[in-house]
Amino acid sequence: QVQLVESGGGSVQAGGSLILSCAASGYTNENCMGWFRQAPGNKRERVAAIHTVGGNTDYADSVKGRFTISQDNAKNTLYLQMNSLKPEDTAIYYCAADRVSYAYLCGRLRQYKYWGQGTQVTVSS
């Protein structure tokens, strides 16, 4: 059973930065990891994804150029570097893991098998 634990959320002023981490354990053969977010009253949004073998990344248009997804395979940890934060980035952020047959499919994946519990990010104006 894969377990995902997010950390690094918090409160920051607009224009600031945060780094989210997602520690993974119990891996079998998951090769696609993503970050999602959900604000109250909003649909869950896929923010970014990375194919853990090929390194392919994909981003939502709303975060391109501001957020960077990365991984440390030695530590089994996924990261989301968030810069130039805006109040509309306020949400609970979740990491997720699953397996895809081809690397390009990771960017299209929206229904993941494993999820973390989420970490709150609040950006004030």
Side-chain angles (χ1 to χ4, degrees):
Q1 181 74 13
V2 174
Q3 292 186 325
L4 304 171
V5 180
E6 302 95 335
S7 61
S11 297
V12 64
Q13 288 191 326
S17 298
L18 281 174
I19 301 176
L20 303 183
S21 300
C22 173
S25 61
Y27 265 157
T28 54
N29 56 1
E30 287 69 29
N31 58 12
C32 179
M33 297 196 73
W35 285 101
F36 287 73
R37 67 185 180 187
Q38 188 166 21
N42 288 1
K43 293 182 180 179
R44 185 176 63 193
E45 176 187 20
R46 203 295 313 271
V47 174
I50 185 167
H51 190 263
T52 60
V53 177
N56 313 54
T57 58
D58 189 80
Y59 296 91
D61 289 342
S62 57
V63 305
K64 278 181 182 177
R66 301 189 297 122
F67 290 11
T68 302
I69 188 171
S70 63
Q71 59 180 341
D72 185 330
N73 288 336
K75 296 181 179 179
N76 285 336
T77 301
L78 179 74
Y79 301 99
L80 185 68
Q81 171 74 52
M82 304 186 294
N83 298 329
S84 302
L85 283 162
K86 304 175 182 180
E88 51 263 44
D89 294 319
T90 295
I92 299 175
Y93 283 71
Y94 302 88
C95 71
D98 205 327
R99 177 169 182 79
V100 295
S101 300
Y102 300 96
Y104 77 92
L105 291 175
C106 186
R108 301 182 183 183
L109 189 63
R110 297 295 183 269
Q111 299 297 326
Y112 282 66
K113 185 174 183 180
Y114 300 105
W115 294 85
Q117 83 290 347
T119 186
Q120 176 71 47
V121 172
T122 303
V123 184
S124 58
S125 57

